[in-house]
Amino acid sequence: MCKDDKLNEHISIRMKSVRVLMESYNVDNFIVYSGESNFYFLDDQTYPFKVNPHFAHWCSLEIPSCFILVDKSSKPKLFILQTKDFWHDTVDIDTVGFERYFEVSFFDSEDKMKTYFESLGHSLFIGETKLNLENKKIDFNPKEAIAFLDWHRALKSNYEVAQVITANQRAAQAHQQAKQIFSQGGTEYDIHISYLKELGDSDHQLPYNSIVACDHKSAILHYQNKRHAKAKSVLLIDAGAKSNGYCSDITRTYVKSGSTHPVFISILKAMEHMHNNLCQSVRSGVSFSDLNLMTHKNISKILIDHEILRGLTEEEVLIHSISSVFFPHGLGHMLGIQVHDVGGQQKNEKGDLPDRDGRFPFLRLRRSLRSGEIITVEPGLYFIPVLLDKFRSKNSENYKFFNWELIDKLVPFGGIRIEDNLLVEESGHKNLTRPYLDNKFIVE
């Protein structure tokens, strides 16, 4: 199936799904808006534009003031605002390509767009707008409609899978370049710039702000600085790429063998082994919450085997909630148009919530997996001072279980995270990340 066929199939799936929604709401139109540019507070400059992900589900245009309208005719309509403006560049739209899938029309002013909206019959409107529409027949972002769209967006078409694969290929190539710069003694800044250069993208074109964390900074889960100090021992890089609006999300941890504590290197090897086993457990029908619990049990074993914890069994580590000190985030999340994509926090198209395990409040995917979904699997093990310090007091009932002498030697090396993107299949999975990386975590 060629790219055009896949996109045509993708649009057809969207049409069928939305027509079901329109019928349930008894509306004449479904409208999804790309969004508008917003200004910084007390400034005349705008934030980098971020397209409405529900618009991106239909169309790869990432420009403001566009909308798609589905009515009872056979073809969806794409409307694009193109004002005559000597201050800004006009986006060059390949209408020939888009006209294969949409009826394409243009507005030359917001007033005309607003007039058009206000002339419509009963409609569902998905997105944000500052147009102050007065049409009482437009229902804006009904909660149940959003839940329906999110639930179906979690299942990926062949076109979407192809885009996520391409995004993984692009990011993997840049990861390899980043690893090389790290091995040559580069700084966080050097590594970040080499990543962007390899992609040929700017910062705002990335799917999320890259994490390029060296040494003790790798224990900061959402670390955002890019220091100019040279990396000594460890690089944790969490960075992705995009393809036609679809994201990849890859994390690797690399260590220099000559300057890294041997226990930290041994933990990294154990984490890679565990990660591979977790991925092998992914298939349709498996509870992601169960996989998350399995991860905590495995991390408990790693901590005991490396004598970071002493005097506890694996079960007791969980009972005392100690594994979360070293692995405080969830195992993974849905992936697609958004990095933290939708559908993982509901158990059906009505938006009902799955059960929550209070031990793991940050888990973003809390239900059984379905064939056709794309997820991340990203276990981590970190030495985070702010979490460890809660147990350092000798008054703490759990103080005695921590090998503080060894922990203090490992804190300067930060933490470990390994993350792949997986397509869930009926009897297994397809790893969309590993085929494009060398997967060697130790550099000389």
Side-chain angles (χ1 to χ4, degrees):
M1 185 181 291
C2 72
K3 177 183 174 182
D4 287 349
D5 290 339
K6 287 178 180 177
L7 183 52
N8 189 59
E9 176 195 50
H10 174 74
I11 297 295
S12 296
I13 294 170
R14 302 281 70 73
M15 290 286 287
K16 290 178 183 178
S17 180
V18 162
R19 291 242 164 89
V20 170
L21 186 63
M22 290 171 62
E23 184 175 346
S24 67
Y25 274 82
N26 192 27
V27 296
D28 302 310
N29 307 291
F30 170 84
I31 303 161
V32 58
Y33 194 49
S34 69
E36 295 161 356
S37 296
N38 291 295
F39 289 88
Y40 290 102
F41 181 60
L42 299 179
D43 205 333
D44 62 355
Q45 297 185 59
T46 59
Y47 293 97
F49 177 70
K50 197 80 169 178
V51 70
N52 172 8
H54 287 287
F55 180 90
H57 200 201
W58 289 80
C59 178
S60 61
L61 281 178
E62 295 191 15
I63 58 176
S65 303
C66 300
F67 66 94
I68 291 166
L69 184 143
V70 178
D71 55 23
K72 296 177 182 178
S73 65
S74 60
K75 201 171 187 180
K77 298 174 174 60
L78 171 62
F79 294 87
I80 300 168
L81 177 65
Q82 282 198 331
T83 58
K84 295 179 180 179
D85 181 0
F86 58 84
W87 290 107
H88 304 103
D89 186 22
T90 300
V91 178
D92 184 21
I93 304 296
D94 176 15
T95 55
V96 175
F98 286 113
E99 283 174 350
R100 297 173 188 168
Y101 314 103
F102 304 99
E103 294 179 12
V104 182
S105 300
F106 295 88
F107 288 108
D108 60 14
S109 74
E110 285 189 351
D111 286 341
K112 291 181 180 178
M113 182 187 295
K114 180 178 178 181
T115 298
Y116 178 82
F117 280 138
E118 292 180 343
S119 70
L120 293 172
H122 192 191
S123 306
L124 292 179
F125 189 106
I126 307 298
E128 285 187 312
T129 179
K130 299 189 290 287
L131 289 176
N132 296 319
L133 301 177
E134 298 176 1
N135 188 341
K136 305 299 183 184
K137 295 181 179 180
I138 296 180
D139 295 334
F140 290 93
N141 304 311
K143 181 179 178 181
E144 296 80 4
I146 296 290
F148 177 93
L149 294 170
D150 287 351
W151 181 252
H152 291 280
R153 215 176 90 195
L155 291 174
K156 302 301 187 281
S157 67
N158 290 322
Y159 169 78
E160 294 177 287
V161 172
Q163 299 310 313
V164 176
I165 289 174
T166 300
N168 267 269
Q169 291 172 326
R170 296 187 68 228
Q173 188 171 345
H175 269 261
Q176 294 291 105
Q177 178 64 20
K179 176 184 176 182
Q180 182 177 344
I181 299 301
F182 166 66
S183 69
Q184 295 170 354
T187 67
E188 291 172 355
Y189 177 81
D190 296 332
I191 294 165
H192 177 61
I193 293 301
S194 73
Y195 186 91
L196 293 176
K197 186 175 180 180
E198 186 66 31
L199 277 183
D201 287 350
S202 59
D203 269 305
H204 80 271
Q205 291 174 300
L206 298 175
Y208 58 96
N209 294 326
S210 297
I211 298 169
V212 183
C214 291
D215 304 320
H216 67 287
K217 297 295 187 181
S218 61
I220 301 174
L221 300 186
H222 286 170
Y223 176 73
Q224 288 298 300
N225 293 323
K226 308 291 188 293
R227 295 176 298 163
H228 288 275
K230 286 191 176 182
K232 295 178 182 178
S233 304
V234 178
L235 167 65
L236 188 155
I237 176 167
D238 184 339
K242 293 175 76 173
S243 175
N244 287 320
Y246 287 83
C247 307
S248 58
D249 182 4
I250 302 172
T251 307
R252 287 295 182 269
T253 305
Y254 301 112
V255 299
K256 295 180 179 179
S257 59
S259 59
T260 307
H261 196 290
V263 172
F264 193 88
I265 294 176
S266 179
I267 292 171
L268 175 58
K269 292 176 180 178
M271 288 292 289
E272 184 192 6
H273 180 72
M274 180 186 76
H275 184 269
N276 281 322
N277 287 340
L278 284 169
C279 289
Q280 292 305 316
S281 300
V282 170
R283 65 183 184 279
S284 179
V286 167
S287 165
F288 201 76
S289 295
D290 288 348
L291 291 180
N292 185 68
L293 180 58
M294 181 192 306
T295 305
H296 278 267
K297 291 178 179 178
N298 289 333
I299 285 176
S300 299
K301 184 177 189 305
I302 291 172
L303 293 169
I304 292 169
D305 287 349
H306 288 84
E307 298 188 346
I308 294 163
L309 296 177
R310 296 182 295 198
L312 290 172
T313 64
E314 295 167 30
E315 292 74 17
E316 288 170 335
V317 173
L318 287 172
I319 291 170
H320 290 277
S321 298
I322 294 176
S323 61
S324 294
V325 176
F326 299 90
F327 176 42
H329 61 78
L331 177 60
H333 50 80
M334 310 296 292
L335 180 70
I337 293 165
Q338 292 171 279
V339 178
H340 297 146
D341 212 15
V342 294
Q345 299 279 24
Q346 57 189 91
K347 63 181 182 181
N348 53 41
E349 65 182 27
K350 295 186 293 183
D352 294 330
L353 299 177
D355 295 333
R356 180 183 291 275
D357 189 332
R359 294 174 296 176
F360 311 120
F362 303 115
L363 186 60
R364 297 178 185 270
L365 175 50
R366 299 188 285 116
R367 58 167 174 77
S368 296
L369 302 174
R370 297 180 293 167
S371 179
E373 295 178 328
I374 297 178
I375 64 169
T376 68
V377 174
E378 48 179 309
L381 195 159
Y382 314 87
F383 298 92
I384 304 174
V386 71
L387 297 181
L388 290 167
D389 287 349
K390 296 178 182 179
F391 297 88
R392 280 189 183 272
S393 170
K394 292 184 179 180
N395 294 326
S396 168
E397 62 177 333
N398 294 319
Y399 171 87
K400 61 186 177 183
F401 301 127
F402 289 75
N403 183 350
W404 293 110
E405 182 180 357
L406 178 56
I407 287 171
D408 287 340
K409 291 178 181 178
L410 297 176
V411 164
F413 300 97
I416 296 162
R417 184 165 67 253
I418 303 169
E419 178 181 20
D420 288 356
N421 306 161
L422 276 62
L423 171 66
V424 181
E425 297 180 329
E426 198 61 43
S427 58
H429 74 280
K430 180 177 182 180
N431 194 308
L432 309 182
T433 303
R434 284 195 175 249
Y436 311 110
L437 286 165
D438 67 19
N439 299 301
K440 296 177 181 177
F441 295 83
I442 301 173
V443 300
E444 300 301 326

